[in-house]
Amino acid sequence: MSLVHLAHVCSHLNNATKARLGLTSIPNTKMHLSLSLALQNDGFLSSVVRGGKAPPPPHLLLGTPAVNDTVQELEPVTQKNIASRRLWLGLKYWQSDSVLGKMVPISKPTRRINLDLRALRRVVNGEASDYVDGIRSPGESLYLSTDRGILEARECVEKKVGGLVLCRVL
């Protein structure tokens, strides 16, 4: 797991929301896919689609094809094109404000921050624990990499697991 790439993704999504882009792409890795799907499940992203250098067709982004849409086959993954594969993310906006406010990486390559269940409960209750501030607003989320995948902090407390703190969404 490369935390350097995670910091690049956080800054890329911050810049894309400031530029008011509806669609953006990030490198296709397992960690980026898991984090993107977690963000989509929590309502920060509208769609997550794997694709190539060009944006995917609109029917894949919307989830349901229109009446006159033609379904195009996706390019198969080969050794020659695997480096150019991208994750295309649909960004959400509500009343001209971005739903995805600001993403801040917490762990860094030089300082990885792990939280056990006891410290994670304090963070979810709004108290600071070591290097992590508490979750204070209802729209704020903290994402952790656990042995069960990338989960939000409240889910980790429910499932009674701790893990590596990845990023915070404000």
Side-chain angles (χ1 to χ4, degrees):
M1 170 183 354
S2 176
L3 294 176
V4 174
H5 297 299
L6 178 67
H8 289 211
V9 167
C10 289
S11 65
H12 178 77
L13 288 176
N14 287 335
N15 292 336
T17 56
K18 285 180 186 176
R20 299 210 161 310
L21 299 178
L23 186 66
T24 188
S25 68
I26 59 174
N28 184 14
T29 64
K30 289 180 185 178
M31 183 178 67
H32 294 161
L33 178 63
S34 298
L35 181 62
S36 299
L37 290 175
L39 288 169
Q40 184 183 19
N41 287 340
D42 289 343
F44 293 110
L45 298 176
S46 62
S47 62
V48 177
V49 177
R50 284 182 171 173
K53 290 182 179 179
H59 69 273
L60 289 178
L61 293 173
L62 298 174
T64 56
V67 176
N68 295 329
D69 258 350
T70 59
V71 178
Q72 299 173 353
E73 292 295 321
L74 291 178
E75 180 183 359
V77 178
T78 62
Q79 287 293 340
K80 291 182 181 180
N81 70 359
I82 197 162
S84 65
R85 302 299 286 175
R86 309 288 290 171
L87 286 174
W88 289 89
L89 309 176
L91 302 175
K92 288 172 82 173
Y93 296 92
W94 174 254
Q95 295 179 349
S96 73
D97 287 331
S98 172
V99 175
L100 181 69
K102 183 178 180 184
M103 281 186 75
V104 180
I106 303 295
S107 290
K108 299 176 180 174
T110 57
R111 186 181 73 198
R112 294 176 181 250
I113 299 173
N114 289 300
L115 291 180
D116 60 346
L117 184 60
R118 185 173 171 207
L120 193 56
R121 281 191 178 131
R122 283 198 311 260
V123 169
V124 169
N125 288 333
E127 302 172 18
S129 175
D130 296 332
Y131 296 103
V132 181
D133 292 334
I135 298 175
R136 298 187 183 233
S137 67
E140 191 174 347
S141 296
L142 187 70
Y143 291 96
L144 285 84
S145 176
T146 66
D147 56 350
R148 297 184 187 181
I150 294 180
L151 300 173
E152 205 271 328
R154 295 173 188 96
E155 292 177 62
C156 291
V157 170
E158 288 175 8
K159 295 182 179 183
K160 298 182 181 178
V161 294
L164 176 70
V165 182
L166 295 177
C167 62
R168 176 187 300 267
V169 176
L170 304 172

